[in-house]
Amino acid sequence: MRVAIAGAGAVGRSIAGELLENGHEVLLIDKAPTAISVERVPQAEWLLADACEITSLDEAALQRCNVVIAATGDDKVNLVVSLLAKTEYGVPRVVSRVNNPKNEWLFNESWGVDVAVSTPRLMSALVEEAVSVGDLVRLLRFSHGDANLVELTLPEESALAGTQVGDVQWPQDTSLVTIIRGTRVLTPTREDSLEAGDELLFVAAQAREEQLEDLLSVRRTDTVR
């Protein structure tokens, strides 16, 4: 997979390193000569250019990229890069960094963003996830379909403890994607049983989050078929 990263600062280089370790082809783009540190990520391609300029993106052959990541420290730049990547080059997947949480509302499909990653929000979510049991924690927002990646740790008092996944009447527009049980990561099947203390990861429509939290957190008599 070919990935272009706009912004070769600490965040961009770290992402590049992870992707290269996983066998992907990476291009780092930055307009600041001081940011071009080939020796730090020698396996990556480097381009000294302004990622907000069409001529620069033509040089980067953005149309050949499977993913573009806008990882600069400037939200305005990230929005422009995202919009150009999606509308001018038809990049299938555009991921954008949100630096200021007040700007998060802008990072949606109207600006070409498929996934918006807000570092302050993510750090806050990880803190909540570490201390909360029975409370739904939003980890990541997907622009398309108004869906979020959410997590909830199944509390001891939940009526769903011991219930098979296939027997639960999950809310519409929600999907259980992973069960984390201790050190194990489980891909859920209909026959798997839920256990108290399980960390459950869902992709869910935002409108269904409250319903999902009620289902998992409160003792109920109508949760199974």
Side-chain angles (χ1 to χ4, degrees):
M1 182 171 69
R2 180 174 173 81
V3 182
I5 302 174
V11 173
R13 293 195 305 270
S14 296
I15 296 170
E18 292 285 341
L19 291 172
L20 287 163
E21 285 185 8
N22 290 327
H24 300 296
E25 180 183 349
V26 176
L27 168 65
L28 280 160
I29 308 170
D30 205 296
K31 67 177 182 179
T34 54
I36 305 300
S37 304
V38 178
E39 68 281 358
R40 295 191 178 185
V41 193
Q43 306 96 326
E45 298 176 47
W46 290 79
L47 179 62
L48 176 61
D50 187 344
C52 292
E53 297 286 344
I54 289 289
T55 53
S56 300
L57 299 181
D58 284 343
E59 186 178 354
L62 222 64
Q63 70 277 3
R64 296 198 295 111
C65 292
N66 305 99
V67 180
V68 165
I69 302 173
T72 80
D74 188 324
D75 284 345
K76 295 188 295 295
V77 171
N78 290 341
L79 285 171
V80 171
V81 171
S82 299
L83 185 63
L84 291 175
K86 183 66 70 175
T87 59
E88 297 295 326
Y89 298 92
V91 176
R93 191 73 163 169
V94 177
V95 180
S96 189
R97 173 186 177 187
V98 185
N99 297 279
N100 187 339
K102 292 181 180 179
N103 297 330
E104 191 173 1
W105 66 277
L106 288 166
F107 287 75
N108 55 40
E109 59 185 353
S110 298
W111 280 92
V113 178
D114 295 305
V115 180
V117 181
S118 171
T119 303
R121 178 180 291 278
L122 183 57
M123 292 181 68
S124 174
L126 290 173
V127 170
E128 291 180 25
E129 186 271 337
V131 300
S132 301
V133 174
D135 294 327
L136 184 143
V137 178
R138 187 180 301 163
L139 298 177
L140 194 65
R141 179 175 63 83
F142 301 98
S143 297
H144 292 301
D146 193 29
N148 299 311
L149 177 66
V150 299
E151 183 271 352
L152 188 142
T153 300
L154 197 67
E156 292 284 348
E157 65 273 14
S158 174
L160 293 187
T163 303
Q164 288 188 335
V165 171
D167 290 334
V168 180
Q169 294 179 332
W170 301 109
Q172 187 178 1
D173 302 324
T174 66
S175 177
L176 175 63
V177 293
T178 303
I179 300 172
I180 301 175
R181 182 173 295 157
T183 59
R184 299 174 62 199
V185 178
L186 308 176
T187 301
T189 67
R190 291 181 56 84
E191 291 73 31
D192 285 323
S193 294
L194 301 174
E195 296 182 6
D198 282 351
E199 292 183 51
L200 308 178
L201 295 182
F202 295 86
V203 173
Q206 186 168 335
R208 302 294 181 180
E209 290 180 1
E210 184 175 352
Q211 185 179 355
L212 181 62
E213 185 173 25
D214 288 344
L215 174 67
L216 293 165
S217 303
V218 181
R219 283 195 173 278
R220 300 167 59 95
T221 59
D222 58 347
T223 54
V224 297
R225 296 185 179 92

